[in-house]
Amino acid sequence: MASPSMTPATPTAEAGLLSPALDGLGVTFHDGGGTLRVWSAHATSMELVLVDAHDLDWVTDTIPLDRVDGDVWQVTTRALRPGVHYAVRADGPSAHGDMFNAQSLLLDPYARGLVSGGVADWRSVAVDGAFDWGGVAKPAVPMERTVLYEAHVKGISKRHPQVPPALHGTYAGLGHPAMIDHFQRLGVTAIELLPIHAFASEPHLLHLGLSNYWGYNSVGFFAPHAPYATEAARHAGPAAVLAEFKGMVKSLHEAGLEVILDVVYNHTAEREIGDPRTSLRGLDNRAYYRQRDDGSYVDVTGCGNSLNTATDAAARLVLDSLRYWANDVQVDGFRFDLAVTLGRDRRHEFTPDHPLLRAIAEDPALAGVKKIAEPWDIAGWELGRFGDGWHEWNDRYRDRVRNFWLSDIDYARRAATAPVGVGGFATRLAGSSNTFSRERGPLAGVNFVTAHDGFTLRDLVSYDIKHNLGNGEQNRDGADTNRSFNHGAEGRTDDPGILATRRKAMRNLLGTLLLSAGVPMLTAGDEFARSQRGNNNAYCHDSPLTWLEWDLDPWQHDHFAHVQRLIALRQQNPALRPTHFAHEDERVPGASQMDWYDEHGRTMSAQRWGDPAHRTLQYVAESIADAGAPNRILLIVHGTERDTEVVLPAIDGVSRYVSLWSSADERPAPDAPVFAPGDTVPVIGTSMRLFRAE
């Protein structure tokens, strides 16, 4: 956390971030021209600079802005019309913390279109965002039915054989019928896109011949990243780029698929002091970035700067950006990168009731919009502390699931027994009630086993250590602790036994993910087990290493069929997706009543939960509904490599168990064997079996 010497850069105005004085920032059009409004508390003068659309350094006119209420600078002119390229110049003091330069051409922070003439040479473009949505509405998928699919706009369609080459790696490519068919066959409900706000590559990457592929380096918060648009749209200009993005959203919505944006509001591409001014640093550095008394940056993001959401203007910038994407562009939700940074107060300390976090959760303009927090930054880890209306990436779930199926098994091979029992794993399987409050319930947690950051699913079961030499940092970057297990060979192997064990391990990991209480997130490519050759930090590779390969081997089709089956089973069985935690002393509609049994069909004893020698359990969940017949499932989890036999429990009201899925199968079984309570069923080492209890 922050040290006592860190003091606020600028006091928060009494009016708050919802002050009407901050309304209408950026460019708005009206008959006869447009109005530009820009916020700066410390500037002494400001001017609008019009530039040539073909020569960004050719200034065609300058027009002064007047200071109006709330430290807003404003100008109305006939020169502001759709398609005009423009910049802002701001002058001001040169005291500690100020970075004014009257010659710098700065971006309007609210610009809907951006163009670049070089690494740090950007201009704003006035864009009319009119678009015909044709009556297509947001799908409004309930959170309990949501299955997130984290994907990269370029990487997902770049090599797809059924997407026309002109659309490869573009917004239009993502919205192409071939991609939509894949999403629908898979069964996911929401496409969560890695950053699509306009972003820049860091100079050190360009020097190495690499680029920022993931996009966590925003230049502006309102304009879509132009290089992801088709060549035709880029040639036509920012308005066409925006229209292509909206067309992608419309196509996905027509197919019943939601669009979630991974948004990076915690820092900007202006990086450290001394790097070029492109926007906020030149408009009001002291208000927009967190600083110490001497003007040095308080960097809680690891990216050189941190947006100072303790000031109303910076917080309002974030809120207005969200409102724009949720309403004008019709996206369905947001995943907030390093969300803890956004909730830091004037002392740079995190508080769950931060005005910005409350506003995001409670703003009527964002009603129904999904809000997912990455609940940490480099200065603090706050899982479980975000309030009502928020969902959180659950890294404790990730770590426990990886441990149970991978690193614990690796340990057991060397020490004859696993280091821990099944108790902690069961808690995660049932929704992480030890992390999220009763009021928020299991849907507060977004469960994941892999994400863009880290090993792919296939690499997780194929590598013990990272292999990041291609990143140009001597393998120093990326996480060292991955809880992975190569199962006897590092990377590629032809050993059929190792390959079969790896395939089963992947099925166990995905089976756990898709059968757990909470909101599951699948990483693009894991549905057919793609590899990045052991690179667990491939943020700088825009290449076949990170693009999805669609030419699959037979076993990958089998793997895909397992993911399909698991997602379908999740949707068909409400007991697998409770909205509330159950409680022994009351009936809670929307919850699943959970009971636990050992391999003998007996109620799980307290001693068994923590016994490393007994890692077999039977998990029975029964949905509690206001009306209709309850749904009940039985999941067997066997967490050792020794084969075993399990006696199915005798439960009131259950006369049979219908087999639905087994991770032991190389391809999902087409039939559904039926068993009776008290029957003994074989369970192979490290595997899962799912039944419907009837």
Side-chain angles (χ1 to χ4, degrees):
M1 289 295 181
S3 68
S5 64
M6 297 179 183
T7 56
T10 300
T12 301
E14 290 183 3
L17 65 93
L18 297 178
S19 168
L22 296 176
D23 290 348
L25 294 175
V27 171
T28 54
F29 298 114
H30 46 76
D31 291 342
T35 297
L36 171 66
R37 286 166 55 84
V38 180
W39 184 90
S40 177
H42 298 103
T44 56
S45 66
M46 195 175 295
E47 60 183 3
L48 167 65
V49 181
L50 304 180
V51 300
D52 184 77
H54 304 290
D55 182 351
L56 300 181
D57 293 323
W58 180 9
V59 175
T60 61
D61 199 4
T62 59
I63 307 171
L65 277 72
D66 296 321
R67 192 172 202 146
V68 295
D69 293 340
D71 294 322
V72 172
W73 298 75
Q74 178 174 306
V75 64
T76 298
T77 172
R78 291 183 176 273
L80 273 177
R81 57 191 183 277
V84 165
H85 290 53
Y86 68 101
V88 178
R89 284 182 179 141
D91 200 3
S94 57
H96 283 313
D98 291 315
M99 292 286 170
F100 291 102
N101 184 324
Q103 303 306 311
S104 295
L105 294 175
L106 306 171
L107 290 175
D108 168 13
Y110 282 72
R112 268 56 166 177
L114 299 179
V115 293
S116 174
V119 174
D121 193 20
W122 295 81
R123 301 292 180 266
S124 304
V125 180
V127 171
D128 180 356
F131 184 80
D132 182 8
W133 290 98
V136 176
K138 294 183 179 183
V141 178
M143 205 65 186
E144 66 269 20
R145 285 191 170 272
T146 296
V147 178
L148 299 166
Y149 181 85
E150 188 193 44
H152 188 283
V153 168
K154 182 174 184 177
I156 193 162
S157 70
K158 178 65 177 176
R159 309 187 81 177
H160 198 293
Q162 295 174 11
V163 173
L167 306 186
H168 279 168
T170 67
Y171 300 124
L174 179 62
H176 187 271
M179 294 306 314
I180 290 174
D181 177 67
H182 175 73
F183 302 143
Q184 290 180 322
R185 286 191 301 115
L186 182 59
V188 296
T189 68
I191 314 304
E192 181 179 308
L193 297 176
L194 267 65
I196 58 83
H197 288 170
F199 65 86
S201 291
E202 295 84 345
H204 79 275
L205 290 178
L206 298 174
H207 179 73
L208 293 170
L210 301 170
S211 63
N212 189 321
Y213 175 67
W214 287 349
Y216 292 89
N217 200 39
S218 302
V219 172
F221 297 147
F222 288 81
H225 192 57
Y228 290 162
T230 57
E231 183 178 357
R234 296 197 306 271
H235 180 75
V241 171
L242 177 59
E244 182 177 316
F245 185 92
K246 290 181 176 180
M248 174 201 74
V249 173
K250 181 180 178 181
S251 295
L252 292 169
H253 282 178
E254 285 178 315
L257 295 161
E258 294 187 315
V259 179
I260 311 291
L261 300 186
D262 193 334
V263 285
V264 188
Y265 295 120
N266 55 79
H267 77 283
T268 76
E270 289 186 305
R271 303 179 71 243
E272 301 172 330
I273 294 175
D275 285 313
R277 305 170 186 83
T278 56
S279 184
L280 303 181
R281 179 175 291 148
L283 290 173
D284 200 325
N285 183 64
R286 202 156 20 126
Y288 278 116
Y289 293 119
R290 295 187 178 275
Q291 300 175 30
R292 301 176 180 85
D293 291 340
D294 63 1
S296 62
Y297 280 169
V298 176
D299 180 11
V300 295
T301 68
C303 301
N305 64 65
S306 304
L307 194 70
N308 187 9
T309 54
T311 64
D312 294 331
R316 181 64 176 268
L317 175 65
V318 173
L319 189 64
D320 284 346
S321 173
L322 295 171
R323 290 168 164 177
Y324 170 71
W325 290 100
N327 296 294
D328 291 62
V329 192
Q330 288 288 290
V331 304
D332 305 275
F334 305 94
R335 179 267 186 188
F336 294 81
D337 182 64
L338 301 183
V340 168
T341 299
L342 304 183
R344 292 189 179 277
D345 61 17
R346 288 180 291 167
R347 295 181 58 83
H348 316 298
E349 297 173 352
F350 176 77
T351 173
D353 60 354
H354 188 284
L356 176 58
L357 298 185
R358 291 204 316 272
I360 292 171
E362 299 168 5
D363 189 349
L366 298 178
V369 172
K370 294 176 170 66
K371 299 114 180 170
I372 302 169
E374 183 181 42
W376 54 80
D377 59 18
I378 68 168
W381 181 83
E382 305 291 348
L383 177 64
R385 294 194 63 201
F386 283 72
D388 290 343
W390 284 92
H391 310 272
E392 303 175 44
W393 267 28
N394 190 348
D395 61 328
R396 280 183 169 172
Y397 176 94
R398 174 200 63 197
D399 293 348
R400 178 63 73 175
V401 172
R402 288 186 181 188
N403 280 347
F404 187 82
W405 291 118
L406 299 176
S407 56
D408 286 0
I409 304 304
D410 180 22
Y411 184 96
R413 284 191 182 183
R414 292 178 281 107
T417 186
V420 297
V422 73
F425 174 85
T427 300
R428 298 300 165 192
L429 184 70
S432 298
S433 61
N434 60 344
T435 299
F436 302 110
S437 68
R438 173 179 177 177
E439 292 74 22
R440 296 180 68 196
L443 296 181
V446 172
N447 297 329
F448 64 104
V449 175
T450 65
H452 66 276
D453 186 2
F455 280 142
T456 67
L457 180 72
R458 184 172 173 182
D459 290 353
L460 197 62
V461 303
S462 304
Y463 293 90
D464 279 352
I465 59 175
K466 64 187 181 183
H467 296 264
N468 296 356
L469 285 174
N471 297 359
E473 299 184 41
Q474 292 77 50
N475 212 40
R476 293 191 300 263
D477 65 305
D480 292 315
T481 302
N482 296 284
R483 297 172 169 83
S484 60
F485 179 31
N486 68 19
H487 292 87
E490 186 71 0
R492 293 179 62 88
T493 180
D494 295 324
D495 187 304
I498 291 176
L499 292 174
T501 304
R502 287 177 177 177
R503 291 193 296 270
K504 177 158 60 72
M506 289 190 286
R507 296 192 293 268
N508 287 330
L509 291 165
L510 289 181
T512 303
L513 174 67
L514 294 168
L515 302 177
S516 291
V519 181
M521 186 188 78
L522 181 69
T523 304
D526 280 354
E527 70 268 35
F528 44 72
R530 66 177 288 262
S531 173
Q532 288 179 171
R533 302 197 296 272
N535 191 319
N536 75 348
N537 191 35
Y539 77 103
C540 54
H541 293 279
D542 185 356
S543 72
L545 179 71
T546 51
W547 304 337
L548 270 61
E549 176 58 66
W550 296 89
D551 184 14
L552 308 180
D553 293 329
W555 72 267
Q556 291 177 290
H557 287 286
D558 293 341
H559 180 86
F560 179 85
H562 273 282
V563 184
Q564 280 182 304
R565 172 72 65 85
L566 286 163
I567 293 176
L569 290 170
R570 180 180 186 85
Q571 299 292 24
Q572 294 162 9
N573 293 276
L576 293 169
R577 42 183 177 82
T579 58
H580 299 89
F581 291 125
H583 293 274
E584 294 181 1
D585 56 347
E586 62 180 290
R587 181 180 176 85
V588 182
S592 288
Q593 182 63 48
M594 299 170 185
D595 296 296
W596 308 88
Y597 302 89
D598 62 21
E599 65 268 36
H600 305 296
R602 298 190 292 258
T603 299
M604 198 79 165
S605 67
Q607 185 273 334
R608 280 295 187 97
W609 284 114
D611 187 349
H614 294 90
R615 286 163 52 96
T616 305
L617 66 81
Q618 300 188 73
Y619 164 49
V620 176
E622 179 183 2
S623 64
I624 302 173
D626 287 326
N631 169 246
R632 186 153 42 186
I633 60 93
L634 165 66
L635 178 64
I636 297 175
V637 175
H638 179 48
T640 69
E641 291 196 291
R642 297 182 302 275
D643 295 352
T644 191
E645 292 184 336
V646 170
V647 178
L648 300 179
I651 301 173
D652 289 344
V654 174
S655 61
R656 66 177 194 163
Y657 293 100
V658 180
S659 182
L660 301 177
W661 175 78
S662 171
S663 68
D665 298 332
E666 284 287 349
R667 186 172 180 86
D671 57 345
V674 177
F675 300 88
D679 282 356
T680 298
V681 297
V683 180
I684 72 167
T686 54
S687 69
M688 307 173 73
R689 295 192 66 167
L690 179 69
F691 303 83
R692 184 171 58 250
E694 299 179 343

